Amino acid sequence: MTPTSDASRPPGLADPAPLRRTDRDGAAAFAAERRRLREAHATEPKRGGIGWKFGLAVDLALLSLPIPAVIVVPPLLECRHRSVHVGFFAGDSFEACARRRIAARWNHLDARIKMIVRNSGQ
């Protein structure tokens, strides 16, 4: 192997004499960087605070709306189909059928979430 010259060596890699910093140099550089960042932040145009709140509301809505739709809509469709094509037994109604099936689906979802949290059933 031939020794490489300083001109062919990339800067910052294995310098022959590394620079030594004192604590004063580090503190001064840190203070200068903080001052530069503060000035840059002060000159930035101010945006309204409604943006992140609106984004949070949209995220919550998009996350919370599918769960009730998945829990409620299929039992309602099943009970509607049953009321139109088959009919209910005496004393049963569309509302009772829907309540019963929605409660069953909700309990099933609750049990599945608990299984996932407990890491059981694997």
Side-chain angles (χ1 to χ4, degrees):
M1 289 251 231
T2 61
T4 59
S5 67
D6 288 338
S8 65
R9 185 180 341 186
L13 294 178
D15 289 334
L19 297 174
R20 298 199 183 262
R21 287 192 173 166
T22 63
D23 287 337
R24 264 186 294 125
D25 294 335
F30 181 73
E33 182 70 13
R34 280 189 66 188
R35 191 170 30 259
R36 186 186 67 76
L37 288 173
R38 245 187 265 126
E39 290 169 359
H41 182 67
T43 59
E44 285 181 1
K46 301 293 182 199
R47 293 183 285 177
I50 194 74
W52 71 269
K53 294 175 185 173
F54 179 71
L56 180 65
V58 168
D59 286 346
L60 288 175
L62 289 176
L63 289 173
S64 62
L65 289 178
I67 291 174
V70 168
I71 298 293
V72 173
V73 171
L76 292 178
L77 294 176
E78 290 172 19
C79 291
R80 175 67 62 198
H81 180 267
R82 184 171 182 162
S83 69
V84 170
H85 296 291
V86 178
F88 294 115
F89 292 112
D92 202 5
S93 67
F94 175 79
E95 185 178 338
C97 173
R99 280 187 188 170
R100 198 172 44 248
R101 291 184 186 235
I102 290 172
R105 285 180 70 93
W106 186 258
N107 290 336
H108 181 69
L109 175 68
D110 185 48
R112 294 292 296 238
I113 289 173
K114 286 179 184 176
M115 273 181 28
I116 290 170
V117 168
R118 293 180 193 143
N119 202 18
S120 66
Q122 305 256 343

